[in-house]
Amino acid sequence: MAGRRTSALAGTLVALVVGTSALLAPPASAHDRGGHRLDPDRFAQQVTTRGVWRHLQELQRIADRHDGNRAALTDGYEASARYVERTLQRAGYRTHRDPFTFGLEVVDAASLTLEPGGTYEVDQMQYAPNSPDGGVRARAAVPVDPTGCTPEAWGDVATVGAIAVVSRGSCPFAQKAVTAQAAGAVGLVVYNNVEEMLFGTLGEEGLVQIPVAGMGMADGLAVVAAVTEGDVMLTLDTRFHEEERTSFNVLAETRTGRDDNVVMLGAHLDGVEEGPGINDNGSGSAVLLEVAVQLAKQKKHHNTVRFAWWGAEELGLIGSTAYVDELATKPGELDRIATYLNFDMVGSPNYVVGVYDADESTYPAPVDVPEGSAQTEAVLTGYFDGIGQPWVDTEFSGRSDYQAFIVNGVPASGLFTGADDIKTDAEAALFGGTAGIRHDPNYHTADDDLSNVSRAAIGIMAPAVAYATASLAQDTSAINGVKGPGKPGHHGPGKPGKRHGHHPAGEHRTLERAS
């Protein structure tokens, strides 16, 4: 799951140039539209933890053979894609690589040097300008109110010509930066309020002309402690340059199903450079792969099912955004997609059973939710209710590959077992595990390996994905009015072509926490 902006190799998406090749999976024409009914409950039993685990083991082996990771633009990602392709081809699919080209920030400098003292790692905030070569050198200034959100927070502290050091909290990073610059600061460092590096965003270009960076809580407090003991000098050096890179998604779709009503499912295949990425997102990729393998054994179903393994998600949802942006330029192509289901992290060790809150019954969404999304969510929650499995809403926040679909009016939902959020007492009562720690304590680390995946979570989520796939492969009438076999009529009020809540591609694409 995307949740940070930079890595050792590269950072945020800067500009996106969609690949010129066809974006669709195998040509969607003349599919068999036979009316044999695929039974969702029976199909759910065919997608087993054992089957998913075989794929996870192979993804772990791939990471082990390729510098310990499967990140975008690496040999580990290429090997992961080849494994998915070979497995699909053996099952009878034709696979398609969907290339995309994008601009990438490559980090040249990311440090804060304390004199006297040492050098600390920082992360340049998204939309913050580069420092000059060699950095900005100035004395440190710490506000009376550590968060530094308002002019009053600085009191009588001398800020002109200083590098401001403030705590995360109370207001957006952009407000802290604008306040510091207005007070005369020549740089700003925001330290985290939890034990990890702070990866942040100013939200838009041009807000300030001073370098702005995030840093970890312990390092930030060490700098603050040094300032309280006397005047210290800081050098803030944060610089990047842009490079054009190319990666790809892997697509496949069933040979059976009506071509004008496509059910699409996706999971990102890449991980972060820090580790193997077996929960994030080998888990979603492996479940999706096993569902595809088992679905290929079904001779007939009513709707086409299209599968996508997205590339460069961890660099900013790049592959899925490129795909949807390209389809948006082709009249009618997005309207063929009845709904999209996303599976990103479905094996977290301290898991919850989370369903994207498309009906906004718990969390307001940051975009207008397309009509049909609540009905897509209901397929998943209905399955869980039917088997007596507790579940909770999880934010429809745009932190994964459904983002481009919903901003372009395609209904969506999906499943999630948790990332860096802290498990509550109520969640522990429902699902077991440990309250007070993260759903995935090894999120985006070298320890996100096979031992980091919960068999119990996979055993709950894999059948749910299978059930939803089979159910929607037969009938999407609740979502878009397209009825399944043996039902009168084919189109209802929500027939393809009548999207609601459409937004221009690229809107609402900020992923990072802004405060």
Side-chain angles (χ1 to χ4, degrees):
M1 166 174 276
R4 54 171 295 175
R5 187 173 63 87
T6 59
S7 63
L9 213 179
T12 303
L13 168 69
V14 175
L16 184 62
V17 182
V18 180
T20 57
S21 65
L23 269 288
L24 293 180
S29 59
H31 285 182
D32 185 346
R33 297 187 182 183
H36 175 72
R37 185 163 186 82
L38 172 62
D39 182 77
D41 292 303
R42 182 175 300 173
F43 186 66
Q45 297 172 13
Q46 295 172 3
V47 177
T48 64
T49 303
R50 181 179 180 182
V52 172
W53 212 259
R54 285 195 295 266
H55 304 313
L56 289 171
Q57 289 173 321
E58 184 56 32
L59 293 176
Q60 179 68 64
R61 282 191 285 267
I62 288 168
D64 292 342
R65 293 193 295 263
H66 295 91
D67 299 320
N69 76 83
R70 303 181 305 100
L73 308 173
T74 68
D75 291 341
Y77 180 76
E78 171 66 29
S80 299
R82 288 181 181 175
Y83 173 71
V84 169
E85 290 166 333
R86 288 195 305 269
T87 304
L88 291 169
Q89 289 161 6
R90 285 196 297 267
Y93 292 92
R94 289 172 292 176
T95 62
H96 170 72
R97 286 196 176 190
D98 167 42
F100 51 88
T101 301
F102 59 99
L104 198 67
E105 291 180 2
V106 178
V107 175
D108 298 313
S111 65
L112 179 72
T113 301
L114 172 66
E115 307 169 30
T119 298
Y120 301 97
E121 180 184 0
V122 297
D123 181 77
Q124 183 173 357
M125 285 202 184
Q126 188 180 24
Y127 304 121
N130 282 352
S131 65
D133 288 352
V136 173
R137 185 174 182 270
R139 60 182 177 78
V142 175
V144 177
D145 175 350
T147 60
C149 289
T150 64
E152 292 73 23
W154 288 93
D156 296 329
V157 175
T159 54
V160 176
I163 293 175
V165 181
V166 305
S167 172
R168 179 181 185 173
S170 299
C171 67
F173 302 136
Q175 183 174 335
K176 298 174 190 288
V178 169
T179 300
Q181 179 175 277
V186 295
L188 173 68
V189 179
V190 183
Y191 58 91
N192 214 340
N193 51 13
V194 293
E195 290 291 348
E196 61 182 35
M197 177 61 72
L198 191 158
F199 302 100
T201 180
L202 298 181
E204 59 181 287
E205 298 275 6
L207 280 180
V208 295
Q209 288 72 54
I210 61 174
V212 182
M215 69 187 304
M217 181 173 71
D219 291 347
L221 291 176
V223 172
V224 170
V227 173
T228 61
E229 293 176 3
D231 286 343
V232 297
M233 297 297 292
L234 298 176
T235 300
L236 177 60
D237 194 2
T238 53
R239 292 173 284 121
F240 71 92
H241 69 278
E242 298 177 20
E243 292 183 1
E244 186 176 274
R245 300 292 180 87
T246 298
S247 188
F248 60 91
N249 306 311
V250 176
L251 300 173
E253 67 180 30
T254 57
R255 297 173 184 264
T256 295
R258 56 182 296 165
D259 301 331
D260 61 346
N261 201 50
V262 178
V263 174
M264 191 162 185
L265 302 91
H268 73 88
L269 184 58
D270 64 311
V272 295
E273 290 181 330
E274 286 80 356
I278 303 302
N279 185 37
D280 185 15
N281 183 36
S283 61
S285 294
V287 168
L288 198 65
L289 187 57
E290 186 62 14
V291 168
V293 167
Q294 297 303 324
L295 189 63
K297 300 174 183 179
Q298 308 300 316
K299 300 304 181 183
K300 294 181 179 180
H301 45 80
H302 191 62
N303 301 314
T304 293
V305 180
R306 184 180 301 161
F307 299 94
W309 287 264
W310 304 118
E313 188 267 1
E314 295 290 1
L315 300 180
L317 312 184
I318 298 175
S320 57
T321 301
Y323 177 81
V324 176
D325 284 355
E326 177 73 359
L327 289 194
T329 69
K330 301 176 182 295
E333 286 297 338
L334 283 179
D335 293 328
R336 291 174 56 205
I337 301 175
T339 191
Y340 172 74
L341 289 90
N342 194 70
F343 307 106
D344 187 353
M345 301 181 67
V346 293
S348 304
N350 196 31
Y351 69 88
V352 296
V353 176
V355 184
Y356 293 150
D357 188 14
D359 65 3
E360 302 180 87
S361 58
T362 304
Y363 304 102
V367 298
D368 292 337
V369 176
E371 184 177 321
S373 298
Q375 290 77 12
T376 304
E377 177 190 3
V379 175
L380 297 163
T381 58
Y383 167 76
F384 288 135
D385 290 343
I387 64 170
Q389 170 62 54
W391 56 272
V392 293
D393 282 318
T394 187
E395 276 189 283
F396 211 33
S397 62
R399 282 185 66 183
S400 194
D401 289 300
Y402 60 88
Q403 170 81 337
F405 288 91
I406 62 175
V407 299
N408 281 277
V410 178
S413 188
L415 298 177
F416 179 48
T417 53
D420 52 350
D421 286 331
I422 303 300
K423 193 166 202 174
T424 66
D425 290 334
E427 290 169 347
L430 282 175
F431 308 114
T434 305
I437 66 171
R438 292 176 172 183
H439 297 134
D440 184 353
N442 300 309
Y443 175 63
H444 282 189
T445 73
D447 292 324
D448 184 11
D449 55 22
L450 191 62
S451 68
N452 191 50
V453 179
S454 165
R455 283 182 176 269
I458 294 294
I460 294 167
M461 292 304 207
V465 176
Y467 177 91
T469 303
S471 178
L472 294 169
Q474 286 301 110
D475 183 11
T476 61
S477 59
I479 296 168
N480 64 353
V482 179
K483 300 187 182 299
K487 296 184 178 181
H490 286 297
H491 298 298
K495 67 182 179 181
K498 295 291 185 181
R499 292 285 184 219
H500 299 277
H502 183 279
H503 296 272
E507 245 183 78
H508 305 292
R509 284 174 53 193
T510 298
L511 304 181
E512 296 81 359
R513 293 186 174 92
S515 62

